[in-house]
Amino acid sequence: MAEIINRDQLSKGDEILLGDTAVLTRLDKAIGWARKFSIFPYPFATACCAMEYMALSMTPYDIDRFGALLPRFTPRQADLLMVIGTVTVRQGPILRRVYEQMAEPKWVMAFGACASTGGFYDNYATLPGIDRIVPVDVYVPGCPPRPESVLDALMALQRKIQGQKQKLMALDEKHQTA
């Protein structure tokens, strides 16, 4: 979070330089705040929950307020994998490949009862939860989940993203500028 500095701690030159408009914070906190509001989802939609996912972009819900409106249809441009609906055992390796193609940092949302636990399908062909294939960060309950539940899960993911320690990349010696 932003740190507040008293005017007593500043020298006269610093006070003139900063004025009343400066906010000081740590770089990793600023990166966490920026990532929180710039989520690019990749919808892995396989079943009826996809209709509820489509409702998220409509006026009453407006997922754009959370910085997650524009879905990416290539995993290399996405950082949130939204597994929406039933995943069969045969689709498991495909889901794993999509997850591995995503760049770091990446997060996964299990959307609905089928993605979370296999739902009411109790047979050999249905994967009993995607957490057996990829690590899941947020589960959205319901069959199908209401858009409000998805927004609650998205806000929980945003809190998790902002609270994570953000990795800062150091430049190697030959790429540093003087």
Side-chain angles (χ1 to χ4, degrees):
M1 297 297 170
E3 297 177 30
I4 299 174
I5 297 176
N6 295 331
R7 290 198 178 267
D8 303 340
Q9 297 172 326
L10 297 175
S11 67
K12 189 68 172 172
D14 290 336
E15 188 173 328
I16 293 170
L17 178 65
L18 294 176
D20 292 330
T21 60
V23 176
L24 302 177
T25 187
R26 292 188 358 222
L27 183 59
D28 64 330
K29 297 287 185 185
I31 291 171
W33 178 84
R35 282 189 176 148
K36 171 183 175 180
F37 292 112
S38 61
I39 298 173
F40 295 106
Y42 176 84
F44 191 85
T46 60
C48 49
C49 289
M51 298 307 142
E52 295 299 321
Y53 171 72
M54 289 180 217
L56 287 172
S57 63
M58 301 303 157
T59 305
Y61 307 109
D62 194 20
I63 198 170
D64 191 29
R65 291 177 292 162
F66 302 98
L69 174 68
L70 299 173
R72 302 296 183 211
F73 294 105
T74 174
R76 291 182 177 94
Q77 295 177 352
D79 54 9
L80 171 61
L81 176 59
M82 295 177 81
V83 182
I84 304 168
T86 310
V87 178
T88 63
V89 173
R90 232 174 138 174
Q91 291 172 324
I94 298 167
L95 177 62
R96 183 67 188 179
R97 181 179 301 157
V98 166
Y99 177 77
E100 289 171 351
Q101 288 178 352
M102 294 172 63
E104 293 289 338
K106 54 188 168 188
W107 302 280
V108 178
M109 179 185 290
F111 194 110
C114 292
S116 299
T117 64
F120 55 83
Y121 300 107
D122 188 19
N123 60 34
Y124 67 94
T126 304
L127 193 66
I130 63 164
D131 54 355
R132 296 173 184 235
I133 303 294
V134 295
V136 177
D137 295 297
V138 179
Y139 294 91
V140 182
C143 181
R146 296 281 308 145
E148 294 90 354
S149 299
V150 179
L151 293 179
D152 286 341
L154 185 61
M155 288 187 288
L157 181 65
Q158 285 180 322
R159 286 189 298 273
K160 183 176 183 174
I161 291 170
Q162 188 169 14
Q164 287 177 339
K165 177 122 176 80
Q166 305 297 328
K167 295 179 183 175
L168 302 176
M169 296 178 59
L171 296 174
D172 58 350
E173 293 178 15
K174 62 182 172 181
H175 290 101
Q176 288 182 351
T177 57

